[in-house]
Amino acid sequence: MLEQYDRAKLLDEVWTEAVTIVAPRYQLSDVGLKKLCGRLQIPTPPRGYWTRLKAGKSVPPRPKLREYVGHPMNLFRTQAPHTEVEPKPMDERLVPLLAFERAPGNQIIVPDQVKRWHPMTNAARVALKKPVIDSRGQPSTRAPALSICVSPSLQDRALRLVDTLLKALETRGYRIEQSKKQVDILIMGRGYHLRVFEPCKRSPYVPTPKQLEDKARGRWSYWPNWAYQPTGKLHLLINEGYAGKVIDSPSLPVEMQLNKLLEQVVTNAVGALVNAEQQAIADEKRRQLRESAAARQRIQNDERKRLAALESDAQNWRRAQVIRDYIDALERKSLSATHGIEHMSYFQWARAKADWLDPLERNVTDLLDEDIKIPY
């Protein structure tokens, strides 16, 4: 819906009040209102106008509104109609899962010490004894163990978090399986993988005095461009954060957000299940439409064949009639003449061909019906 600006009203407003007061009425910033006035060819007060006016000093008089000579569309603004979008109803399978995670009695608590490690966590503990060092210099587990990449000072905490989370998942009926590449968490038939990550702060690398000395003396010396400092904050990611993510914050550590993480995962799993079901319904509808269209197409092809046969029969019937009329006319013209054997034979042959062409004559065969193939 297009609404036209009132140029006279806008001129009066910007010369009566500051743009900081007028701009919100048009849902614009100060700069946006000035740009709008420029497009509408409405002069605005110069810089310092309101300060000088407040101080009682002389200011330029309000100019007259000149005739607009710009593009006509600049006089209009588009207003999108306000429509309230109704929230989608929550799937009935998700309601009890979220209610379970939000119940106070189901709060996941990470112990200070673990007496018996989960097998997958224990495998990660072993992997961290001989870790892979990433490009930031941080130790990381090797696949197919659980993906844990944290500084040594956070390894015990990360392992206790993962151990508690895996046990909580199994308590809720979800399976934990070891595949060739990773540890899979199976929720509603969908596979998820867990990653524990500690980000680092990057800063320009400061070479040591020894490195600077080696460089000054022309010796070979190498140092990286960047230095990485662990932040001490843990990130728990499900499917790299696309299915769930919780992060340490000053007021809420990751240990207090495990139920929130499970809420995110089950919401993703139910959503994926709903999408798969809707896709299956859509696929079935497309299959039915394809079958219906194919059946209609077969009927259409049959109709075309019947029509082609009808047109062929009509043309052959017309050809047969033309031949008969011609032979009759030829005979009438030759009444005074004596018909020889050759003429009689020709008339008989012509009528036989007319009968063969005529679709109304049944069981008429002819040499032309034979499919003659010359052997090699």
Side-chain angles (χ1 to χ4, degrees), residues 170-228:
E170 288 185 331
T171 302
R172 286 156 174 75
Y174 307 126
R175 296 208 324 267
I176 313 295
E177 292 185 355
Q178 178 71 67
S179 66
K180 293 183 179 180
K181 295 183 179 180
Q182 63 189 16
V183 175
D184 293 320
I185 304 169
L186 301 180
I187 302 177
M188 297 183 182
R190 185 176 176 83
Y192 295 90
H193 60 272
L194 172 67
R195 183 183 178 210
V196 187
F197 177 74
E198 179 187 7
C200 293
K201 291 182 179 179
R202 192 180 74 170
S203 60
Y205 179 79
V206 179
T208 64
K210 179 68 168 58
Q211 290 172 328
L212 293 174
E213 180 184 354
D214 290 343
K215 182 179 180 181
R217 294 186 177 184
R219 298 173 185 170
W220 184 88
S221 180
Y222 166 80
W223 57 79
N225 294 326
W226 304 101
Y228 296 91

Side-chain angles (χ1 to χ4, degrees), residues 72-352:
M73 287 305 298
N74 289 338
L75 296 172
F76 297 89
R77 64 177 175 180
T78 303
Q79 288 186 335
H82 179 69
T83 56
E84 294 185 0
V85 180
E86 296 184 1
K88 293 182 180 180
M90 186 180 297
D91 190 90
E92 60 182 9
R93 290 165 291 191
L94 180 59
V95 175
L97 298 176
L98 296 182
F100 181 88
E101 297 301 336
R102 294 168 183 173
N106 298 323
Q107 182 71 30
I108 301 174
I109 300 175
V110 180
D112 295 331
Q113 292 183 348
V114 178
K115 295 182 179 179
R116 186 175 181 180
W117 296 95
H118 189 281
M120 304 300 178
T121 317
N122 196 48
R125 292 177 64 212
V126 174
L128 284 174
K129 293 180 180 179
K130 295 182 179 180
V132 177
I133 306 301
D134 65 12
S135 59
R136 306 169 306 155
Q138 298 301 308
S140 176
T141 55
R142 295 176 182 270
L146 284 164
S147 179
I148 300 177
C149 184
V150 298
S151 59
S153 61
L154 288 185
Q155 286 182 4
D156 179 69
R157 181 188 171 203
L159 289 168
R160 286 186 289 108
L161 277 168
V162 171
D163 189 78
T164 304
L165 183 59
L166 293 182
K167 291 174 181 176
L169 287 165
E170 288 185 331
T171 302
R172 286 156 174 75
Y174 307 126
R175 296 208 324 267
I176 313 295
E177 292 185 355
Q178 178 71 67
S179 66
K180 293 183 179 180
K181 295 183 179 180
Q182 63 189 16
V183 175
D184 293 320
I185 304 169
L186 301 180
I187 302 177
M188 297 183 182
R190 185 176 176 83
Y192 295 90
H193 60 272
L194 172 67
R195 183 183 178 210
V196 187
F197 177 74
E198 179 187 7
C200 293
K201 291 182 179 179
R202 192 180 74 170
S203 60
Y205 179 79
V206 179
T208 64
K210 179 68 168 58
Q211 290 172 328
L212 293 174
E213 180 184 354
D214 290 343
K215 182 179 180 181
R217 294 186 177 184
R219 298 173 185 170
W220 184 88
S221 180
Y222 166 80
W223 57 79
N225 294 326
W226 304 101
Y228 296 91
Q229 180 64 34
T231 60
K233 296 181 179 180
L234 285 183
H235 291 205
L236 261 64
L237 313 177
I238 303 293
N239 285 7
E240 299 302 324
Y242 292 102
K245 179 180 181 180
V246 290
I247 302 173
D248 271 335
S249 68
S251 60
L252 201 61
V254 168
E255 284 84 347
M256 302 296 294
Q257 302 181 62
L258 296 184
N259 291 90
K260 175 184 175 182
L261 181 66
L262 292 189
E263 287 184 29
Q264 296 174 7
V265 178
V266 297
T267 300
N268 181 275
V270 172
L273 187 61
V274 170
N275 290 339
E277 292 170 348
Q278 292 176 345
Q279 186 63 45
I281 294 173
D283 291 343
E284 177 62 20
K285 287 183 178 180
R286 281 195 296 270
R287 186 191 65 81
Q288 293 177 359
L289 288 174
R290 285 197 301 269
E291 289 185 354
S292 176
R296 292 282 297 171
Q297 190 178 64
R298 288 192 293 271
I299 296 174
Q300 185 185 67
N301 291 337
D302 291 341
E303 288 291 294
R304 288 193 176 121
K305 291 178 182 179
R306 293 182 64 188
L307 178 59
L310 174 62
E311 290 176 339
S312 178
D313 288 346
Q315 290 174 359
N316 289 334
W317 177 81
R318 176 64 65 186
R319 290 172 65 192
Q321 291 299 104
V322 170
I323 292 174
R324 290 180 181 127
D325 292 343
Y326 171 71
I327 295 301
D328 291 343
L330 186 60
E331 282 186 319
R332 286 193 299 270
K333 189 174 181 180
S334 305
L335 283 176
S336 58
T338 302
H339 290 179
I341 297 177
E342 292 182 0
H343 286 88
M344 296 298 294
S345 176
Y346 175 76
F347 294 153
Q348 185 178 4
W349 173 85
R351 288 192 173 93

Side-chain angles (χ1 to χ4, degrees), residues 346-365:
Y346 175 76
F347 294 153
Q348 185 178 4
W349 173 85
R351 288 192 173 93
K353 286 294 180 280
D355 291 342
W356 177 76
L357 283 172
D358 192 346
L360 301 180
E361 298 291 337
R362 304 297 181 183
N363 301 321
V364 177
T365 59

